[in-house]
Amino acid sequence: MIRKIEKIFLLSVFLIISVSMSAQEGAYGAYSPYSIFGIGDLSKEGTAYNKSMGGVGIATRNNRVINYMNPAAVTARDSLSFMADFGLVQNNKMFAQGDLRSGNNTFNIYDFVMSFPIWRSSAFMVGITPYSDVGYDFSSIETNPDIIGNTGNLTYDSYGTGSVYQAFIGSGVTFWKRLSIGAEMIYYFGNIDKITNLDFADGSYRSMNSGSELSLRGITGKFGLQYEQKLGDKVSMTIGATYKMGTKMKGYSTNFRFANMASVSDTLKYSVDTLAKTGARFGDEIGLGISFKNADKWSAEFNYTRSDWTKSGMDNAPGFSVIGDSKFTTTVSNSYRAGFEIVPDRNDIRRYLNRCAYRAGIYYDQSYYKMDGHAVNSMGLTFGITFPIENANSYRIYNGVSLGMDIGQRASTRNDLIRERYVMFVIGFNIHDLWFIKNQYR
């Protein structure tokens, strides 16, 4: 019976992956007018567990879930267990600028991670997650009478698509049952397209088509440590830290401009440059965290991260900067996150809801760029719950389904910025099993 339930559960998981991948084909990975800058919107790191606790995880040690935000946390596990996690995200956004209003929603897979033990107190993990997403589509009509008086109606249309992903492989080891250290190798890869069209209503003028196509990749490393200290019989404190190195981007930047009339197209510009030539690079990141935990009852955590993009070289690099009225400059980003989790009674055999884990969190993020010298910051509240999938014979099997919600806002309508309000829903599937156990018959 147990194996039958596990097979049904795993089959459902793979069916959802297949359906979501089909739904994602031809759609935006994320949508925001701010993703026109740099490499787009940086994805919020973590599984549904992390996302529903405000995005914390640097100091998290939980043997029921995978926490890849700190490579040292991979050792927080049952020594014989195999773990996997994947999740889906659905994002709903409303935009406002002056009297203008618009909205959009997207659906995407945000992670797939596996973890298993190596030897004694060491463990291994491998996975893939989005790192950044570009998705926008907007148009405007020229209203300057001095221009349209000579050319007729003139329309500008801009759109962009693409994503940068990070595939990672890492491991960790614990010493003296308190100190854990970990290391991770990250491979960035992806493609980003940014296109602008200029169309004349008067057919005697040639329309213009310009833009850039980025094909980029890079390799970097991330290091982490966690130290756990008992504060009593059940309460413990964990201090965590991470550091991800900045790295140069590799790949190509194709920049073009064409003039079109009827079936004739003239090439005004076409160049292919290596990204090494532009000097573009990913910013480094340092993270600090502290958490308190009461056995299997509750936990609370606070995280701070700082990422320096001032030397990214994207401010004036083709394909990253935006030619127009808005001035794009990279800066130092800071994030402040706090989260709380409580389980009423993990061992309550009568009331299922008492065995569920309930979470809430809050965050404040400063973006890695400024627009016309103005910061583009976001803040929000998160909520979540994990429903355990269990039966009477599944002792120490932590399969579950996690649901989360993120309600927040980015920027405001001041300084001619676009206010972005969003409600994001996440669903994560936690797969857990005990391996390497020999069956014994008596």
Side-chain angles (χ1 to χ4, degrees):
M1 183 64 180
I2 298 176
R3 290 300 177 186
K4 184 177 181 180
I5 293 175
E6 289 179 351
K7 289 180 180 179
I8 294 174
F9 178 64
L10 291 175
L11 178 61
S12 301
V13 165
F14 287 113
L15 285 175
I16 292 174
I17 288 180
S18 300
V19 172
S20 61
M21 291 182 69
S22 299
Q24 185 63 23
E25 190 173 324
Y28 294 109
Y31 188 93
S32 170
Y34 291 112
S35 68
I36 192 173
F37 301 112
I39 56 174
D41 281 352
L42 299 185
S43 300
K44 295 180 180 179
E45 195 175 20
T47 65
Y49 168 87
N50 306 107
K51 294 178 187 295
S52 59
M53 287 185 65
V56 299
I58 296 174
T60 296
R61 292 191 66 79
N62 190 326
N63 65 337
R64 294 176 178 269
V65 297
I66 297 179
N67 174 32
Y68 65 86
M69 292 184 64
N70 188 336
V74 71
T75 60
R77 59 184 305 111
D78 290 337
S79 59
L80 300 177
S81 62
F82 165 83
M83 304 172 70
D85 186 283
F86 79 92
L88 311 172
V89 59
Q90 198 272 332
N91 209 341
N92 307 277
K93 295 187 176 182
M94 293 294 295
F95 308 101
Q97 185 182 40
D99 296 330
L100 301 176
R101 299 290 186 275
S102 65
N104 193 276
N105 58 78
T106 57
F107 180 78
N108 200 6
I109 298 176
Y110 66 79
D111 75 1
F112 184 81
V113 189
M114 295 185 297
S115 172
F116 46 86
I118 301 176
W119 181 74
R120 293 187 179 179
S121 58
S122 59
F124 175 88
M125 66 177 174
V126 60
I128 182 171
T129 68
Y131 181 70
S132 70
D133 294 291
V134 172
Y136 61 89
D137 188 353
F138 53 86
S139 60
S140 62
I141 299 175
E142 181 61 62
T143 58
N144 189 331
D146 295 333
I147 297 178
I148 62 178
N150 297 320
T151 64
N153 292 336
L154 177 61
T155 302
Y156 302 93
D157 178 61
S158 298
Y159 63 92
T161 60
S163 297
V164 178
Y165 299 92
Q166 54 179 356
F168 59 89
I169 180 172
S171 63
V173 62
T174 298
F175 300 97
W176 310 296
K177 297 183 180 181
R178 291 187 179 184
L179 177 65
S180 300
I181 61 174
E184 186 177 287
M185 184 181 71
I186 302 172
Y187 175 66
Y188 300 109
F189 65 97
N191 298 285
I192 295 175
D193 297 333
K194 299 179 182 180
I195 311 296
T196 298
N197 295 321
L198 173 61
D199 296 317
F200 294 89
D202 188 341
S204 62
Y205 290 92
R206 298 194 297 177
S207 63
M208 304 289 292
N209 173 245
S210 61
S212 62
E213 298 175 354
L214 296 174
S215 176
L216 57 87
R217 62 186 185 275
I219 296 178
T220 191
K222 184 176 183 179
F223 307 93
L225 64 85
Q226 291 180 330
Y227 180 80
E228 186 174 12
Q229 176 65 50
K230 296 291 184 180
L231 301 179
D233 293 338
K234 295 182 178 181
V235 179
S236 63
M237 176 185 69
T238 300
I239 298 174
T242 60
Y243 175 68
K244 181 167 63 175
M245 299 184 298
T247 185
K248 291 183 179 180
M249 299 182 191
K250 298 181 180 180
Y252 299 91
S253 173
T254 302
N255 303 280
F256 57 86
R257 185 181 300 116
F258 302 110
N260 307 302
M261 179 179 288
S263 58
V264 179
S265 178
D266 292 331
T267 302
L268 303 182
K269 177 184 178 181
Y270 188 88
S271 63
V272 179
D273 300 315
T274 63
L275 292 182
K277 182 179 179 180
T278 67
R281 58 186 291 115
F282 296 98
D284 63 355
E285 180 187 271
I286 184 171
L288 301 172
I290 183 171
S291 69
F292 297 90
K293 183 177 181 180
N294 184 347
D296 224 7
K297 185 72 174 181
W298 59 262
S299 66
E301 183 172 348
F302 173 79
N303 286 179
Y304 165 74
T305 58
R306 181 184 187 275
S307 185
D308 188 354
W309 290 80
T310 55
K311 298 179 181 179
S312 67
M314 294 190 296
D315 300 51
N316 301 302
F320 296 99
S321 60
V322 178
I323 299 176
D325 297 331
S326 298
K327 176 65 175 177
F328 158 72
T329 55
T330 52
T331 184
V332 175
S333 68
N334 296 279
S335 296
Y336 308 86
R337 300 165 185 165
F340 180 79
E341 177 190 56
I342 186 169
V343 182
D345 188 350
R346 187 82 70 179
N347 300 313
D348 192 331
I349 61 175
R350 293 186 177 181
R351 299 175 180 84
Y352 175 78
L353 292 180
N354 282 350
R355 302 196 299 273
C356 297
Y358 302 89
R359 306 183 186 96
I362 187 172
Y363 63 87
Y364 178 76
D365 295 333
Q366 297 175 325
S367 181
Y368 70 99
Y369 59 82
K370 292 183 178 181
M371 194 176 79
D372 294 330
H374 302 296
V376 183
N377 303 329
S378 61
M379 63 183 70
L381 299 173
T382 65
F383 306 92
I385 182 173
T386 292
F387 298 98
I389 298 176
E390 56 190 22
N391 56 60
N393 298 318
S394 61
Y395 175 67
R396 293 176 65 190
I397 302 297
Y398 307 136
N399 290 327
V401 176
S402 298
L403 305 179
M405 180 172 61
D406 182 346
I407 305 172
Q409 175 177 312
R410 176 158 60 169
S412 66
T413 55
R414 296 191 300 269
N415 302 314
D416 201 31
L417 295 176
I418 299 174
R419 185 187 67 201
E420 180 181 300
R421 289 177 174 170
Y422 52 87
V423 179
M424 181 176 68
F425 299 97
V426 296
I427 178 171
F429 298 88
N430 314 317
I431 303 171
H432 186 279
D433 200 1
L434 297 180
W435 285 11
F436 316 113
I437 296 179
K438 294 183 180 179
N439 294 321
Q440 296 181 355
Y441 300 93
R442 297 182 180 178

Short mmCIF file of all heavy atoms in Angstrom, two decimals, residues 189-220:
data_model
loop_
_atom_site.label_atom_id
_atom_site.label_comp_id
_atom_site.label_asym_id
_atom_site.label_seq_id
_atom_site.Cartn_x
_atom_site.Cartn_y
_atom_site.Cartn_z
N PHE A 189 23.69 30.18 -17.33
CA PHE A 189 23.53 30.08 -18.78
C PHE A 189 22.14 30.60 -19.16
O PHE A 189 21.20 30.53 -18.36
CB PHE A 189 23.70 28.64 -19.26
CG PHE A 189 22.64 27.69 -18.75
CD1 PHE A 189 21.52 27.37 -19.52
CD2 PHE A 189 22.76 27.12 -17.49
CE1 PHE A 189 20.55 26.51 -19.04
CE2 PHE A 189 21.79 26.26 -17.00
CZ PHE A 189 20.68 25.94 -17.78
N GLY A 190 22.02 31.14 -20.35
CA GLY A 190 20.72 31.61 -20.81
C GLY A 190 20.82 32.55 -21.98
O GLY A 190 21.92 32.91 -22.43
N ASN A 191 19.66 32.97 -22.48
CA ASN A 191 19.56 33.88 -23.62
C ASN A 191 18.54 34.97 -23.30
O ASN A 191 17.48 34.68 -22.71
CB ASN A 191 19.14 33.14 -24.89
CG ASN A 191 20.15 32.10 -25.31
OD1 ASN A 191 21.20 32.41 -25.84
ND2 ASN A 191 19.83 30.83 -25.06
N ILE A 192 18.85 36.19 -23.69
CA ILE A 192 17.97 37.33 -23.47
C ILE A 192 17.85 38.12 -24.77
O ILE A 192 18.86 38.46 -25.39
CB ILE A 192 18.50 38.24 -22.36
CG1 ILE A 192 18.51 37.50 -21.01
CG2 ILE A 192 17.67 39.51 -22.25
CD1 ILE A 192 19.15 38.29 -19.89
N ASP A 193 16.62 38.41 -25.17
CA ASP A 193 16.35 39.20 -26.37
C ASP A 193 15.62 40.48 -25.98
O ASP A 193 14.63 40.44 -25.23
CB ASP A 193 15.50 38.42 -27.37
CG ASP A 193 16.20 37.17 -27.87
OD1 ASP A 193 17.43 37.15 -27.89
OD2 ASP A 193 15.49 36.21 -28.24
N LYS A 194 16.09 41.63 -26.50
CA LYS A 194 15.44 42.91 -26.28
C LYS A 194 15.28 43.60 -27.63
O LYS A 194 16.26 43.87 -28.31
CB LYS A 194 16.27 43.79 -25.33
CG LYS A 194 16.48 43.18 -23.95
CD LYS A 194 17.33 44.07 -23.06
CE LYS A 194 17.57 43.45 -21.70
NZ LYS A 194 18.40 44.32 -20.82
N ILE A 195 14.03 43.87 -28.01
CA ILE A 195 13.73 44.37 -29.35
C ILE A 195 12.92 45.67 -29.25
O ILE A 195 12.05 45.80 -28.39
CB ILE A 195 12.91 43.34 -30.16
CG1 ILE A 195 13.57 41.96 -30.09
CG2 ILE A 195 12.75 43.80 -31.60
CD1 ILE A 195 14.93 41.88 -30.73
N THR A 196 13.21 46.62 -30.15
CA THR A 196 12.43 47.86 -30.26
C THR A 196 12.09 48.10 -31.73
O THR A 196 12.98 48.03 -32.60
CB THR A 196 13.22 49.07 -29.72
OG1 THR A 196 13.49 48.87 -28.33
CG2 THR A 196 12.41 50.35 -29.89
N ASN A 197 10.81 48.36 -32.00
CA ASN A 197 10.34 48.63 -33.36
C ASN A 197 9.82 50.06 -33.45
O ASN A 197 9.17 50.57 -32.53
CB ASN A 197 9.23 47.67 -33.75
CG ASN A 197 9.72 46.23 -33.81
OD1 ASN A 197 10.83 45.95 -34.27
ND2 ASN A 197 8.89 45.31 -33.34
N LEU A 198 10.11 50.71 -34.57
CA LEU A 198 9.63 52.05 -34.86
C LEU A 198 8.83 51.98 -36.16
O LEU A 198 9.39 51.70 -37.23
CB LEU A 198 10.82 53.01 -35.00
CG LEU A 198 10.54 54.44 -35.45
CD1 LEU A 198 9.63 55.14 -34.45
CD2 LEU A 198 11.85 55.21 -35.60
N ASP A 199 7.50 52.20 -36.06
CA ASP A 199 6.62 52.03 -37.22
C ASP A 199 5.94 53.35 -37.58
O ASP A 199 5.41 54.05 -36.72
CB ASP A 199 5.54 50.98 -36.91
CG ASP A 199 6.13 49.59 -36.68
OD1 ASP A 199 7.02 49.22 -37.45
OD2 ASP A 199 5.71 48.92 -35.73
N PHE A 200 5.96 53.66 -38.90
CA PHE A 200 5.31 54.86 -39.43
C PHE A 200 4.00 54.46 -40.09
O PHE A 200 3.92 53.46 -40.81
CB PHE A 200 6.21 55.55 -40.47
CG PHE A 200 7.47 56.11 -39.90
CD1 PHE A 200 8.63 55.33 -39.82
CD2 PHE A 200 7.53 57.42 -39.45
CE1 PHE A 200 9.80 55.85 -39.30
CE2 PHE A 200 8.70 57.94 -38.93
CZ PHE A 200 9.83 57.16 -38.85
N ALA A 201 2.97 55.27 -39.84
CA ALA A 201 1.70 55.05 -40.53
C ALA A 201 1.81 55.37 -42.01
O ALA A 201 1.13 54.78 -42.84
CB ALA A 201 0.60 55.88 -39.87
N ASP A 202 2.67 56.32 -42.33
CA ASP A 202 2.91 56.71 -43.71
C ASP A 202 3.86 55.69 -44.35
O ASP A 202 5.02 55.56 -43.93
CB ASP A 202 3.52 58.11 -43.75
CG ASP A 202 3.62 58.67 -45.17
OD1 ASP A 202 3.56 57.87 -46.13
OD2 ASP A 202 3.77 59.90 -45.31
N GLY A 203 3.40 54.98 -45.35
CA GLY A 203 4.18 53.93 -45.98
C GLY A 203 5.39 54.41 -46.73
O GLY A 203 6.25 53.61 -47.14
N SER A 204 5.51 55.73 -46.93
CA SER A 204 6.67 56.25 -47.64
C SER A 204 7.91 56.32 -46.74
O SER A 204 9.01 56.56 -47.23
CB SER A 204 6.36 57.65 -48.21
OG SER A 204 6.08 58.55 -47.16
N TYR A 205 7.71 56.12 -45.45
CA TYR A 205 8.84 56.09 -44.51
C TYR A 205 9.18 54.64 -44.17
O TYR A 205 8.29 53.79 -44.09
CB TYR A 205 8.50 56.84 -43.22
CG TYR A 205 8.38 58.33 -43.39
CD1 TYR A 205 7.15 58.93 -43.67
CD2 TYR A 205 9.50 59.15 -43.28
CE1 TYR A 205 7.05 60.30 -43.83
CE2 TYR A 205 9.39 60.53 -43.42
CZ TYR A 205 8.17 61.10 -43.71
OH TYR A 205 8.06 62.45 -43.87
N ARG A 206 10.45 54.41 -43.94
CA ARG A 206 10.89 53.06 -43.60
C ARG A 206 10.80 52.82 -42.10
O ARG A 206 11.21 53.66 -41.30
CB ARG A 206 12.33 52.84 -44.07
CG ARG A 206 12.50 52.94 -45.58
CD ARG A 206 13.84 52.38 -46.03
NE ARG A 206 14.97 53.13 -45.47
CZ ARG A 206 16.25 52.79 -45.66
NH1 ARG A 206 16.55 51.72 -46.39
NH2 ARG A 206 17.22 53.51 -45.14
N SER A 207 10.23 51.70 -41.72
CA SER A 207 10.18 51.33 -40.31
C SER A 207 11.57 50.89 -39.85
O SER A 207 12.41 50.47 -40.65
CB SER A 207 9.16 50.21 -40.08
OG SER A 207 9.54 49.03 -40.77
N MET A 208 11.78 50.96 -38.55
CA MET A 208 13.07 50.60 -37.98
C MET A 208 12.90 49.44 -37.00
O MET A 208 11.95 49.40 -36.22
CB MET A 208 13.68 51.80 -37.25
CG MET A 208 13.84 53.04 -38.10
SD MET A 208 15.14 52.86 -39.34
CE MET A 208 16.58 52.81 -38.28
N ASN A 209 13.83 48.52 -37.06
CA ASN A 209 13.83 47.37 -36.16
C ASN A 209 15.23 47.26 -35.56
O ASN A 209 16.21 47.07 -36.28
CB ASN A 209 13.46 46.10 -36.91
CG ASN A 209 13.62 44.86 -36.06
OD1 ASN A 209 14.46 44.01 -36.36
ND2 ASN A 209 12.84 44.73 -35.01
N SER A 210 15.34 47.41 -34.24
CA SER A 210 16.65 47.36 -33.59
C SER A 210 16.55 46.57 -32.30
O SER A 210 15.47 46.38 -31.74
CB SER A 210 17.15 48.78 -33.30
OG SER A 210 16.26 49.45 -32.42
N GLY A 211 17.70 46.14 -31.81
CA GLY A 211 17.69 45.39 -30.56
C GLY A 211 18.99 44.66 -30.33
O GLY A 211 20.01 44.90 -30.99
N SER A 212 18.92 43.74 -29.37
CA SER A 212 20.10 42.97 -29.00
C SER A 212 19.69 41.56 -28.61
O SER A 212 18.57 41.32 -28.14
CB SER A 212 20.84 43.63 -27.83
OG SER A 212 20.01 43.67 -26.68
N GLU A 213 20.59 40.64 -28.81
CA GLU A 213 20.41 39.26 -28.41
C GLU A 213 21.63 38.84 -27.59
O GLU A 213 22.76 38.89 -28.09
CB GLU A 213 20.24 38.34 -29.62
CG GLU A 213 19.02 38.67 -30.47
CD GLU A 213 18.95 37.83 -31.74
OE1 GLU A 213 19.92 37.08 -31.99
OE2 GLU A 213 17.96 37.94 -32.47
N LEU A 214 21.39 38.48 -26.35
CA LEU A 214 22.47 38.08 -25.45
C LEU A 214 22.45 36.57 -25.26
O LEU A 214 21.41 35.98 -24.98
CB LEU A 214 22.32 38.75 -24.09
CG LEU A 214 22.44 40.28 -24.04
CD1 LEU A 214 22.13 40.76 -22.64
CD2 LEU A 214 23.83 40.71 -24.45
N SER A 215 23.60 35.97 -25.44
CA SER A 215 23.79 34.56 -25.11
C SER A 215 24.93 34.53 -24.10
O SER A 215 26.08 34.75 -24.45
CB SER A 215 24.15 33.74 -26.36
OG SER A 215 24.41 32.39 -26.01
N LEU A 216 24.58 34.29 -22.83
CA LEU A 216 25.60 34.45 -21.79
C LEU A 216 25.72 33.21 -20.90
O LEU A 216 24.81 32.39 -20.81
CB LEU A 216 25.30 35.69 -20.94
CG LEU A 216 23.94 35.80 -20.24
CD1 LEU A 216 23.96 35.13 -18.89
CD2 LEU A 216 23.57 37.26 -20.08
N ARG A 217 26.87 33.12 -20.28
CA ARG A 217 27.17 32.02 -19.37
C ARG A 217 28.27 32.48 -18.40
O ARG A 217 28.89 33.52 -18.60
CB ARG A 217 27.62 30.77 -20.13
CG ARG A 217 28.89 30.95 -20.93
CD ARG A 217 29.20 29.73 -21.78
NE ARG A 217 30.49 29.84 -22.45
CZ ARG A 217 30.69 30.45 -23.60
NH1 ARG A 217 29.66 31.01 -24.23
NH2 ARG A 217 31.89 30.50 -24.15
N GLY A 218 28.48 31.73 -17.37
CA GLY A 218 29.51 32.06 -16.40
C GLY A 218 29.58 30.99 -15.33
O GLY A 218 28.63 30.23 -15.12
N ILE A 219 30.69 30.92 -14.66
CA ILE A 219 30.90 29.94 -13.59
C ILE A 219 31.39 30.68 -12.35
O ILE A 219 32.26 31.54 -12.43
CB ILE A 219 31.93 28.87 -13.99
CG1 ILE A 219 31.42 28.04 -15.18
CG2 ILE A 219 32.23 27.94 -12.82
CD1 ILE A 219 32.40 27.00 -15.66
N THR A 220 30.81 30.33 -11.22
CA THR A 220 31.24 30.94 -9.97
C THR A 220 31.11 29.93 -8.84
O THR A 220 30.67 28.79 -9.05
CB THR A 220 30.40 32.20 -9.65
OG1 THR A 220 31.00 32.90 -8.57
CG2 THR A 220 28.98 31.82 -9.28
#
